[in-house]
Amino acid sequence: MITEASKSASSQTKVKLWIDIFIFIAFLVVMEPHLSDLPVHEWLGLSLTFVMVVHLLLSWDWIIQITKRFFKTVGGQNRINYILNWLFLLDGVVIMMSGIMISRVALPALGLHLTLGPGWYKLHDLSTNVALLLLGVHTALHWNWIVSTLSRYVFNPVLALVRK
Amino acid sequence: MKTLTRALLILTVFAVLAGIVTVSVNLVASVAVSMGLIDSAEERASEEAAREAAAQSASPAQDEERNSPEDFNLFAYAARWILSLGKDVFIIAIPVFAIVIPKSLFAKLRKRA
């Protein structure tokens, strides 16, 4: 029973790691619309929203646990992490909404044409720059998890293969 | 079923936040337009259309030349990608180093003490 539970946790960690790697690479590609081309930028950006839902689902237990205990017995780092994650989510929503508003490819392809209000372009630029910094802080706060999981599931297996 | 409910809950939070963002941006924009701080959407659209029409009538051949596939340089394109990604990774790395290094130093000092 214990081995089954640990196996399930281990496979969930693996899925989480690969999803996070995908999000990181996709985020970097999406950050450069002049190089990746507008259709790639818009469709990849929209698909990131759904990948983010999976990322949140995989962290569901942590989110619920901290939400319940936030005003009671949450440690300093968890509290900062939780607030930062909400800021990151809000920033992500701003990026998504402003991106939808200024969309020239994805939304017209779906048959939707929005009347553009002023300020959406600037907001999209500003929120993506903020996201870059928030991603840095998010990465820093999860650094131990990233290093240990990468060495466990990527570096050590690769090293073992090389040594053979 | 449990996962689906959770996903729907997350999407609902997304939708609520998106609604709040849209309403706030439109509210701020309409106040700014009414105060004369920025142009309205219609004015901007007509200005942009006029600018695009002027640019197209001025040099259609030049545009075609500039975008011709013969001009495409794979090395320059790859170099631009590497530089742009490097810049983004560098920006992300700044807070990572600023937080991780002092944290690990503190942990080491605490262990010694």
Side-chain angles (χ1 to χ4, degrees):
Chain A
M1 196 68 189
I2 293 167
T3 47
E4 256 183 42
S6 67
K7 258 185 193 175
S8 148
S10 158
S11 71
Q12 195 172 325
T13 309
K14 242 189 242 177
V15 171
K16 208 172 170 183
L17 176 72
W18 289 115
I19 283 180
D20 288 358
I21 289 171
F22 172 78
I23 291 173
F24 184 70
I25 293 168
F27 183 78
L28 289 179
V29 173
V30 164
M31 281 298 290
E32 302 299 334
H34 55 287
L35 290 172
S36 62
D37 231 3
L38 209 55
V40 174
H41 172 77
E42 290 192 8
W43 286 112
L44 191 60
L46 271 177
S47 66
L48 265 179
T49 308
F50 296 99
V51 183
M52 286 309 296
V53 173
V54 178
H55 176 84
L56 291 173
L57 281 174
L58 288 170
S59 307
W60 186 264
D61 291 337
W62 182 84
I63 296 168
I64 295 300
Q65 205 185 351
I66 303 295
T67 307
K68 278 181 183 166
R69 296 191 291 123
F70 188 75
F71 293 105
K72 293 171 194 165
T73 54
V74 177
Q77 190 177 325
N78 271 333
R79 200 180 288 264
I80 292 170
N81 218 340
Y82 186 79
I83 294 168
L84 183 94
N85 287 341
W86 269 103
L87 284 177
F88 210 0
L89 176 70
L90 185 67
D91 192 53
V93 170
V94 173
I95 293 172
M96 185 187 72
M97 276 317 291
S98 55
I100 287 171
M101 289 295 179
I102 63 175
S103 166
R104 287 185 201 162
V105 180
L107 246 62
L110 296 171
L112 295 167
H113 299 273
L114 298 173
T115 322
L116 187 66
W120 286 108
Y121 281 101
K122 277 183 187 168
L123 192 66
H124 194 63
D125 271 355
L126 183 73
S127 52
T128 43
N129 289 333
V130 170
L132 208 58
L133 284 173
L134 285 176
L135 180 64
V137 182
H138 187 75
T139 308
L141 292 175
H142 291 85
W143 189 249
N144 290 338
W145 182 87
I146 293 168
V147 171
S148 66
T149 316
L150 272 178
S151 57
R152 192 171 169 194
Y153 295 112
V154 181
F155 300 141
N156 288 348
V158 170
L159 278 176
L161 273 178
V162 171
R163 276 175 195 156
K164 272 182 186 176
Chain B
M1 196 64 194
K2 206 165 75 176
T3 311
L4 192 70
T5 315
R6 288 173 179 180
L8 282 174
L9 204 66
I10 292 167
L11 286 173
T12 309
V13 172
F14 270 35
V16 170
L17 287 176
I20 294 169
V21 167
T22 311
V23 169
S24 335
V25 170
N26 284 335
L27 198 72
V28 170
S30 63
V31 169
V33 167
S34 69
M35 287 172 76
L37 296 172
I38 51 171
D39 290 338
S40 68
E42 291 77 20
E43 283 169 337
R44 278 166 63 97
S46 65
E47 268 175 28
E48 258 178 44
R51 213 179 300 139
E52 270 177 28
Q56 272 181 358
S57 64
S59 56
Q62 206 180 352
D63 260 13
E64 276 171 26
E65 265 175 36
R66 203 185 302 146
N67 296 328
S68 69
E70 286 161 21
D71 286 349
F72 182 75
N73 183 342
L74 185 68
F75 180 74
Y77 183 67
R80 280 173 67 196
W81 260 114
I82 291 165
L83 286 174
S84 300
L85 294 185
K87 176 204 73 187
D88 292 338
V89 171
F90 178 73
I91 295 170
I92 294 168
I94 294 170
V96 172
F97 282 112
I99 294 170
V100 171
I101 292 175
K103 217 172 123 183
S104 67
L105 278 176
F106 265 118
K108 272 181 192 170
L109 284 173
R110 212 181 272 173
K111 261 187 188 176
R112 275 185 201 169

